Amino acid sequence: MTATATDAPAPESAGQVAGRRFRRWRGIVAALFAVVLLAVVLAALRPPVTSGYLDPEDAGRDGSRALAEIVRQQGTPVEVVRSANAAASAARSTKLVVVVRSERLTEADLTVLANATGSVLLIAPTDAALARLAPGVERTGTAPDTGPAEDGCALGAAAGAVDFGESHVYRAAETGTACYLYEDYDPASSFFRLVRSEGAKTVTVAGSGRPFTNRHLTEEGAAALGLTLLSAQGGVVWLIPDLPSEDEITGDQSFMDLVPTSVWLFFLQGLVAVALAALWRARRLGPVVVERLPVAVRSAEAVEGRARLYRAAHARDRAALALREAARERLVPLLGLPRSAAADPARAAEVVPLAAARSGLDAPTAYWALYGPEPGDDGELLRLTDLLDELERRVR
Amino acid sequence: MALTGRVALLALLACAIPLFVPHGWVIAAIAGALVALGALDFALAGNVRRLVLHRTGDTTIRLGESGTVGLIVENPGRRRVRALVRDAWPPSAGVTPRTFEIDVPAGERRRAELRLAPTRRGDRSSVSVTIRSTGPLGLVARQLTRQAPWTVRVLPGFPSRRHLPAKLRRLRELTGQQVALIRGQGTEFDSLREYVAGDDVRSIDWRATARRGEVVVRTWRPERDRRIFLILDTGRTSAGRVGDIPRLDCSMDAALLLGALASRAGDRVDLLAYDRRVRARVEGVSRTDLLPSMVRAMAPLEPELIESDAAGMVATLLARSRQRSLVVLLTELNTAAMEEGLIPLLPRLTSRHLVMVAAVADPRVGEMAGARGDLAAVYDAASAERARGERRRLKAELREYGVEVVDAPPDEIAPALADAYLALKAQGRL
C-alpha cells in the first residue's frame, strides 16, 4: 500500500462532487453545444425553398413566370401541368418536358415519366429522379457558390458565363455535352453543372434552379441559358408536381427498404457484441453469500413506543403521575425524609411544607406540583414539568 | 466457463467488417472465428478442477481486532493457472480483498493472504472459493466453485479488561499483600507475626503475646476458594441493543471482568448461559485456563428470541452447586419477566446462595427522562420516568429478598459489578 493510499481522503461535499463532474464533462458538453449551434446557424443561413419555387405561374421572387413568359413570347407554347400523368399524356416526341421540384414525385410518377416520350429537362433533380429519368448521368457532388461559371461547351455558348450559385455537379454522359465545369476540384474530373445526355431521348440536367427564377433571370446569361434549354419545336410541358397525397405514397419504399444491407449487418453484429457483453457481466464469480443476522431491537423501543402512545392518547394523567412520582422520589431524600414517604400520598402533609420551605415556593404551588390533579390541557402539562424542574433545582 | 470483456470487445470491433463486406455470411464467419478462438483459449486455460486448496492462519480473532487467513493454491496440473479468485466469507467476517489474482506455475503452489476484520461475535466459516482461470488469449475462462473449509471464531472483545489492573490493585489491598502496614481485611485468620510500629493495635493477639513474650499481631485475609456462578441470560431481553451493542455483549464483558478478577482472588468461577436450556457452560476449569475457556464458550452465543425459563435455570443451578456460592445473574430488570419468572423462585435460591443481579441500564432512557421543550419531549420524559420507576421498584423488591443488585449503563456495568464483588469480599460475605 502506498503512502497516498493510506492518507484518509477528506470526504467530498455534494458541491465538490458536482464541480468535479462538471469539470470532467465540460469539454464534451461544450463541443456538443458548438455542434448544435453551428447546425442552427447553417440552417438559418440557407435560403428557404418557398412554395412557389420554379413555378411557371408564380410571379414571386423564386417563381419562374418570367422565364415561361419569355419562352411564350418566343413562340414556344408552355403548358403547365401539375401531375406526372398529365405530363406524360401531354408529352410528344417533339415536346420538351421540364421537371422541377422532383422531390415531390413518387416512384410511380417516375415510372410514368420515364416511359413518356419527348426530351426532358431536369432542374436540380433528386437522386431517385436522376437515376430513373437520366440513366446516363451520375451525380458526383455539390459545388459551392463560386460566382458566374464559364460555359466551356456548345450548349451554353449562347449564354456565356452563368451564375448557378450552389449547385449539384454531374459526371458527363458518354454521348452528350457537359458544361459549366466546377474547376476548383481536379480539372480533369467530372463536376459539371449542366449535362446533356443524348441517348434514346435527350435528357438535360441542370444542377441548380437559380438561373431560372424570377429574381436571377436578369443576371448575366441566365435568360439566354433558359431560352436555349427551353427551345422545343412542339412546345414545352412544364411539370411542377403537387404534393403527393397519402394514398399515392403507400406503394413507395419504406425507410426500412432504404437502409443498406451493410447497416443491417452492422447492427446485427452489434447485437452479438451486446449479447456477449451481457454474458460477460452476468456471470457471477461464485454464489451469493447469505448470512443469518441477529435481530436488532433497540432496548429503549418499548419506552419510546409508550411515549408515543401517551401522546397519541393525550394521556396527561399518566404522564403527570409518572413525572410527579419521579420528582418526589428525587426530592424526598433531599428533604431528609425516608424513601417510603415518596410513594405514599398520605404523607403529603410532611413532604409539601418541607419542599415549600426549602424551595421558597408557596405551599399550594408545591402541593399542586407534587400532588395536584391531572393537568387540564397540554400547556398545563408543560407548566407542570417546568415547575417540577424549578422545585427540584431550588431544593438542591 | 465464463467469458471476458475481450470477447465482447472483439465482437464490437468486428462490427466494422460488414460495412466493408456487406454479406450475410460475414456475421456467421465472425461468430465462427470467435467460437474457434474461444474454444482454443478454453482448451489452453489452466485446469481448475485439479487445483488443491489448503488453508492456514488464525482460528480465533478478538472482536475489534483483525487477523489473517491464508489460502494456498496448489497446481499439480501441467499448465500454468492464471486466475481470479474469490474467497467468499459471510459479510460480517470483514474479509479483504474480496477478489484477488493468482498466478500458479505448473507443479507449484502460491499463498494468498486474506485479512479478516470481523464486525460481529461468533463463528465465521468460509463459504466457498471460486476460481476463474483465464486462457492465454484472455477470451474465455474456466470457472469452478470449490470448498476450502476454515472457521474463525470471533471472540468477545472484552473491552473492560482495561479496568482489570485497577481492580486487581484493590484486590491486593484487600488481601494485605500490597501494603504491609494495613491490616488485611477479611474474616479468615491467616497467620501471626511480630508487631511492627504502625500496625493496628486492635489486631494484637494478646494470648499469643503473653505466650511469646513479644507483641504479636494476627493477620487476616479474605476467604478463598469460594464458588462463583456466573449466569448469562440469553433470552429475549438480552437481544435489545443498548447504544449499538446487544445487551448480551455488555453482560459478557462484565462477566469476563468478574471472572478474571475472581480467579485471581482465588475463587472458583463457573459460567452458565441459559434461556430455556443450557447454551454454554464452563465448569471446573483451572484458574489459568478460565478466561480463554469463558471467551471460547461465549463466542458463538446469540440472543434467542424466547422467554427465559427462570424455573429451569434455578433447577439447573441448584442441581449443580451443592455448596454455598455467589450466584451472579446477568439479565435485564424487566418487571413482567422478573415477576413471573425469577421472583417467586428467589427464596429457594437465596436460602442456599448469595444472589447478585447485574443489569445493563439503557442511557437512552436517562436521556429521554431529561428531555424538555415541547410536548413530545415531555411525554418522552413521562414514559422514561415511568420505566425508571418500575425499575426502581423492582430493584427494591429484589433487595428485600436479600439480592444484591448492580444496575449501570453499558460502559460502567463491568467495573460496577467488579466493585460489588470486591465489596462483598471485603465484608466477608462470600
Side-chain angles (χ1 to χ4, degrees):
Chain A
M1 194 175 277
T2 60
T4 50
T6 53
D7 290 339
E12 286 181 304
S13 70
Q16 282 172 320
V17 172
R20 183 165 50 78
R21 287 190 184 153
F22 173 72
R23 279 190 293 283
R24 186 186 297 165
W25 293 101
R26 65 181 166 188
I28 296 167
V29 170
L32 279 176
F33 185 72
V35 166
V36 170
L37 195 71
L38 191 72
V40 168
V41 167
L42 284 179
L45 287 179
R46 211 176 175 77
V49 174
T50 55
S51 59
Y53 181 61
L54 293 179
D55 188 337
E57 292 173 343
D58 189 291
R61 282 149 51 102
D62 291 324
S64 293
R65 187 168 166 180
L67 179 62
E69 286 304 319
I70 296 171
V71 172
R72 284 197 185 101
Q73 283 166 19
Q74 294 295 313
T76 312
V78 176
E79 184 187 352
V80 178
V81 294
R82 302 223 169 240
S83 75
N85 288 328
S89 55
R92 302 283 177 276
S93 57
T94 54
K95 285 191 179 179
L96 170 72
V97 179
V98 181
V99 180
V100 299
R101 310 294 296 271
S102 57
E103 70 272 12
R104 291 180 177 179
L105 293 171
T106 63
E107 191 68 17
D109 292 340
L110 291 176
T111 311
V112 168
L113 287 177
N115 293 333
T117 53
S119 53
V120 178
L121 169 63
L122 301 173
I123 298 177
T126 60
D127 289 352
L130 187 71
R132 297 296 300 274
L133 302 181
V137 184
E138 187 191 342
R139 184 179 163 195
T140 49
T142 304
D145 187 353
T146 54
E150 291 303 325
D151 55 300
C153 74
L155 189 61
V162 171
D163 187 355
F164 276 79
E166 188 183 314
S167 166
H168 294 168
V169 286
Y170 307 94
R171 187 190 309 271
E174 280 174 18
T175 55
T177 351
C179 312
Y180 300 105
L181 178 65
Y182 173 55
E183 288 161 340
D184 288 14
Y185 292 155
D186 182 9
S189 62
S190 41
F191 299 108
F192 296 99
R193 294 184 178 94
L194 184 65
V195 172
R196 172 164 288 175
S197 162
E198 308 271 4
K201 59 183 182 180
T202 304
V203 179
T204 314
V205 182
S208 160
R210 189 177 185 271
F212 312 112
T213 57
N214 294 339
R215 190 189 341 188
H216 298 289
L217 194 66
T218 53
E219 287 174 10
E220 176 191 4
L225 181 70
L227 284 174
T228 313
L229 293 180
L230 269 72
S231 62
Q233 297 160 5
V236 170
V237 177
W238 192 308
L239 168 63
I240 172 155
D242 287 330
L243 276 175
S245 62
E246 281 297 321
D247 44 310
E248 277 177 301
I249 301 173
T250 47
D252 219 336
Q253 279 183 312
S254 69
F255 170 75
M256 291 296 167
D257 299 331
L258 296 172
V259 176
T261 322
S262 60
V263 174
W264 286 122
L265 294 178
F266 172 85
F267 281 116
L268 188 62
Q269 181 60 32
L271 222 61
V272 171
V274 167
L276 287 175
L279 282 177
W280 162 48
R281 297 309 302 169
R283 184 78 162 106
R284 284 189 56 85
L285 195 57
V288 178
V289 176
V290 291
E291 181 175 7
R292 195 170 155 268
L293 290 171
V295 284
V297 192
R298 285 190 308 119
S299 169
E301 225 163 50
V303 180
E304 286 170 0
R306 185 155 55 199
R308 284 192 289 270
L309 276 179
Y310 276 177
R311 197 179 169 203
H314 300 289
R316 285 184 288 272
D317 51 342
R318 302 253 168 180
L321 194 67
L323 288 168
R324 280 173 172 145
E325 260 180 22
R328 289 203 299 265
E329 284 282 345
R330 285 192 294 266
L331 272 178
V332 160
L334 294 172
L335 298 174
L337 292 169
R339 277 185 183 277
S340 56
D344 190 358
R347 297 181 73 172
E350 286 175 59
V351 176
V352 172
L354 271 173
R358 287 280 295 278
S359 64
L361 298 171
D362 54 358
T365 313
Y367 180 83
W368 182 78
L370 292 173
Y371 294 98
E374 166 192 348
D377 56 16
D378 290 340
E380 207 170 323
L381 180 63
L382 285 172
R383 274 197 298 285
L384 171 64
T385 321
D386 292 342
L387 187 60
L388 285 171
D389 286 348
E390 174 73 15
L391 186 66
E392 214 173 310
R393 196 177 54 76
R394 288 192 183 201
V395 170
R396 276 178 205 280
Chain B
M1 162 102 184
L3 300 178
T4 69
R6 279 191 201 182
V7 180
L9 186 67
L10 274 184
L12 194 68
L13 291 177
C15 281
I17 299 176
L19 290 183
F20 299 106
V21 192
H23 293 289
W25 55 263
V26 168
I27 302 293
I30 294 170
L34 283 177
V35 167
L37 280 176
L40 178 71
D41 205 30
F42 188 81
L44 292 177
N47 194 340
V48 188
R49 207 168 290 274
R50 292 187 61 186
L51 291 181
V52 185
L53 302 175
H54 311 273
R55 289 270 194 196
T56 59
D58 297 336
T59 51
T60 57
I61 300 174
R62 202 183 280 277
L63 185 64
E65 294 169 8
S66 65
T68 53
V69 169
L71 177 70
I72 298 171
V73 182
E74 188 183 344
N75 179 13
R78 280 175 291 115
R79 281 190 301 274
R80 173 183 283 259
V81 172
R82 285 190 197 83
L84 183 66
V85 180
R86 172 178 169 227
D87 195 355
W89 291 70
S92 70
V95 172
T96 47
R98 202 179 149 271
T99 62
F100 51 89
E101 284 174 4
I102 52 163
D103 185 355
V104 192
E108 295 189 23
R109 51 166 69 186
R110 289 285 181 271
R111 179 190 159 98
E113 289 259 307
L114 294 162
R115 199 172 152 277
L116 269 68
T119 55
R120 213 155 57 78
R121 198 169 35 74
D123 286 346
R124 298 287 166 272
S125 296
S126 164
V127 177
S128 59
V129 176
T130 305
I131 305 170
R132 181 181 285 182
S133 163
T134 316
L137 300 176
L139 295 175
V140 177
R142 301 186 185 196
Q143 180 172 325
L144 197 65
T145 298
R146 305 266 304 268
Q147 301 296 322
W150 190 260
T151 300
V152 173
R153 176 157 284 194
V154 184
L155 305 174
F158 195 12
S160 69
R161 65 182 180 278
R162 66 177 191 278
H163 296 295
L164 193 57
K167 302 301 170 201
L168 284 175
R169 210 175 307 128
R170 174 96 184 83
L171 183 70
R172 281 194 293 270
E173 283 171 18
L174 287 181
T175 54
Q177 293 167 358
Q178 185 77 359
V179 186
L181 292 181
I182 293 177
R183 177 185 175 224
Q185 291 169 338
T187 54
E188 203 167 281
F189 175 70
D190 188 21
S191 61
L192 291 171
R193 61 169 172 79
E194 260 183 55
Y195 176 80
V196 183
D199 273 343
D200 190 342
V201 290
R202 286 175 297 177
S203 61
I204 295 172
D205 186 337
W206 294 108
R207 201 180 297 176
T209 304
R211 244 195 330 264
R212 281 233 224 143
E214 54 188 5
V215 183
V216 171
V217 291
R218 290 178 182 212
T219 58
W220 308 85
R221 61 163 200 186
E223 311 86 334
R224 291 174 67 88
D225 298 317
R226 301 296 150 138
R227 277 194 75 167
I228 298 181
F229 235 104
L230 299 172
I231 301 179
L232 278 175
D233 179 4
T234 57
R236 68 172 176 89
T237 53
S238 69
R241 286 184 180 238
V242 182
D244 199 32
I245 307 164
R247 190 168 260 133
L248 181 62
D249 284 33
C250 298
S251 300
M252 282 181 183
D253 189 38
L256 283 171
L257 183 65
L258 182 56
L261 190 61
S263 66
R264 300 285 181 90
D267 291 328
R268 289 173 47 213
V269 181
D270 294 327
L271 172 79
L272 194 66
Y274 198 92
D275 41 68
R276 297 195 82 81
R277 60 182 181 82
V278 178
R279 297 280 168 189
R281 84 167 62 127
V282 176
E283 276 173 312
V285 182
S286 74
R287 196 171 300 173
T288 48
D289 202 25
L290 176 73
L291 216 51
S293 307
M294 278 175 74
V295 158
R296 235 172 288 129
M298 284 175 180
L301 282 182
E302 292 292 348
E304 302 289 333
L305 293 186
I306 45 177
E307 190 71 52
S308 293
D309 173 20
M313 190 261 291
V314 169
T316 312
L317 184 68
L318 290 177
R320 268 156 213 276
S321 62
R322 304 257 176 261
Q323 72 181 91
R324 180 179 160 80
S325 39
L326 170 65
V327 175
V328 181
L329 181 57
L330 294 132
T331 182
E332 160 64 352
L333 293 170
N334 181 300
T335 311
M338 277 275 181
E339 287 189 338
E340 284 173 20
L342 187 66
I343 287 179
L345 304 165
L346 272 178
R348 279 175 67 197
L349 208 54
T350 49
S351 63
R352 275 174 57 181
H353 301 292
L354 176 59
V355 180
M356 187 187 270
V357 171
V360 183
D362 192 343
R364 171 81 188 120
V365 176
E367 258 172 52
M368 283 171 70
R372 293 290 183 271
D374 58 354
L375 198 62
V378 168
Y379 279 121
D380 274 359
S383 171
E385 291 291 12
R386 174 150 177 215
R388 291 214 295 200
E390 279 172 2
R391 204 178 175 93
R392 210 161 37 226
R393 276 189 288 280
L394 186 60
K395 282 195 280 190
E397 191 176 357
L398 285 172
R399 286 196 177 107
E400 274 171 29
Y401 282 99
V403 174
E404 296 286 322
V405 181
V406 178
D407 181 21
D411 49 343
E412 290 165 26
I413 181 74
L417 185 61
D419 284 342
Y421 163 77
L422 289 172
L424 285 179
K425 202 153 183 76
Q427 290 163 10
R429 285 178 59 196
L430 284 182

